[in-house]
Amino acid sequence: MRSVTYDDDGAGVSVPRGWREATETALYGPDGFYRRPEGPAGHFRTSVHASPLYAAAVARLLCRVDEVLGHPEEVAFVDMGAGRGELTAGVLATLPPDVAARVRAYAVERAERPAGLDPRVDWRAAPPAGVTGLLFANEWLDNVPVDVAEVAADGTTRRVLVRDDGTESLGEPADGPDAAWLARWWPLEAEPGLRAEIGRTRDEAWAAAVASLERGLAVAVDYAHAREARPPFGTLTGFRAGRETAPVPDGSCDITAHVALDACAAEGAALLTQRAALGALGVSGGRPPLSLASEDPAAYVRALARAGQAAELTASGGLGDFGWLVQPVGVPAAAALLVDVADHEEE
């Protein structure tokens, strides 16, 4: 439902409000973008949609977690921000039978359960509590709504307000926990026009998701930036029908912003690139040997296709630059699955 007031002629006029509130309604309200029948895949392409190699890599990570946990009777796979369940279904289809028989799969998403989804998938609006296994959040945190701050002409950092048509204005100065978060994680110089997305709500959302695990591993994958290289004017943007567009909070487009994953990270976490993480999980963009072309042409073509998909998933300047936040819960940070991944990080 939109926030509307009325002018003297009785015409509806949307009320300026913070970006967090406006985005929450635009994405997740009754007519919100993420409740539309076409789902996210109808508007943008994630690593999940780019290649089945991605789900296979996540399945391998789940197997590593299962091994570190000592092969429990039940191991959970929790897919945060599951879209239409594509990743969950892909992981289940790729797991070896002995692991698949013990996996309890949860798809966490606010939209309704899609028709035809694997009946083994438990579809729910919030993560299950007290489970043991792997919680995986692929491009979830970038859609956790945030408020936006901007430095005004007088040098103060103020909240940015927005109407449903995307028109912005500056509100009151940022204060309290939001001001403290900015000071620690995204300090702004007193230069008018500089902007930041206040990631406190994402820190809290991630901490709550991690807390749902009793033991295991939590992984967040997203567009990311670090404190020493925050973009000076923020990253808030929109996507519609495969194209980047202005972020207009009327439910017609996705509204997203890159994630300060370093602010989300708790003790023991590792931060690395998708290129490094997928390399550690067996995804390589190397071309198959030419000798295979003469020995087995069909196999060569298949291997070449896989190499092309792997190259897209790990490309510099593209999906390979995504950040991975790897957070152990009740398992040693030096467990094999973490060491193997960290060893592939670039110098």
Side-chain angles (χ1 to χ4, degrees):
M1 181 179 295
R2 294 184 180 182
S3 178
V4 177
T5 186
Y6 294 88
D7 61 20
D8 294 338
D9 297 326
V13 179
S14 65
V15 176
R17 49 188 172 156
W19 267 106
R20 183 174 67 169
E21 180 185 352
T23 301
E24 177 71 27
T25 302
L27 296 185
Y28 305 113
D31 300 317
F33 176 83
Y34 276 98
R35 296 187 183 276
R36 298 171 71 145
E38 70 271 20
H43 294 273
F44 50 84
R45 192 164 178 257
T46 71
S47 298
V48 177
H49 308 125
S51 170
L53 295 177
Y54 191 77
V58 177
R60 283 192 287 275
L61 181 58
L62 178 56
C63 290
R64 291 189 184 183
V65 173
D66 176 58
E67 182 176 354
V68 169
L69 293 172
H71 309 293
E73 291 186 6
E74 180 177 293
V75 61
F77 175 66
V78 183
D79 182 6
M80 293 295 300
R84 295 301 179 266
E86 300 95 333
L87 178 60
T88 315
V91 167
L92 286 175
T94 309
L95 287 171
D98 63 311
V99 179
R102 293 180 290 105
V103 165
R104 179 76 180 274
Y106 301 89
V108 182
E109 179 59 64
R110 296 201 202 184
E112 295 298 318
R113 182 189 183 99
L117 184 64
D118 190 317
R120 293 175 292 174
V121 178
D122 185 341
W123 190 270
R124 52 176 61 200
V131 297
T132 296
L134 173 63
L135 181 144
F136 200 88
N138 184 73
E139 293 194 51
W140 170 58
L141 285 174
D142 69 302
N143 286 128
V144 173
V146 291
D147 275 316
V148 178
E150 181 176 321
V151 179
D154 62 1
T156 60
T157 300
R158 296 179 175 270
R159 299 180 191 278
V160 178
L161 307 180
V162 62
R163 295 183 183 272
D164 289 344
D165 64 0
T167 303
E168 291 184 334
S169 57
L170 295 186
E172 295 297 315
D175 58 5
D178 286 345
W181 189 93
L182 286 169
R184 180 178 181 186
W185 293 110
W186 199 329
L188 293 172
E189 301 292 336
E191 180 181 334
L194 294 181
R195 288 168 68 112
E197 289 102 31
I198 305 171
R200 182 175 59 85
T201 50
R202 290 170 171 175
D203 298 356
E204 294 169 353
W206 179 242
V210 172
S212 70
L213 277 180
E214 183 173 316
R215 291 179 67 226
L217 195 70
V219 179
V221 182
D222 238 308
Y223 297 97
H225 44 60
R227 190 183 188 279
E228 62 272 14
R230 305 283 190 223
F233 304 106
T235 61
L236 190 73
T237 191
F239 283 93
R240 183 192 299 114
R243 295 180 179 275
E244 190 170 6
T245 185
V248 178
D250 61 359
S252 68
C253 67
D254 183 29
I255 298 173
T256 179
H258 294 197
V259 183
L261 284 178
D262 51 349
C264 297
E267 184 178 355
L271 288 165
L272 58 156
T273 65
Q274 175 156 297
R275 182 167 49 259
L278 290 184
L281 292 169
V283 178
S284 170
R287 294 174 62 92
L290 284 174
S291 59
L292 184 62
S294 56
E295 296 169 0
D296 190 340
Y300 178 77
V301 170
R302 291 193 298 269
L304 198 61
R306 287 194 298 271
Q309 294 171 11
E312 180 182 3
L313 290 172
T314 59
S316 297
L319 296 176
D321 291 342
F322 269 51
W324 278 48
L325 166 57
V326 182
Q327 182 73 58
V329 179
V331 296
L337 71 158
L338 294 179
V339 171
D340 289 351
V341 171
D343 284 350
H344 280 71
E345 185 58 292
E346 299 87 351
E347 295 295 332

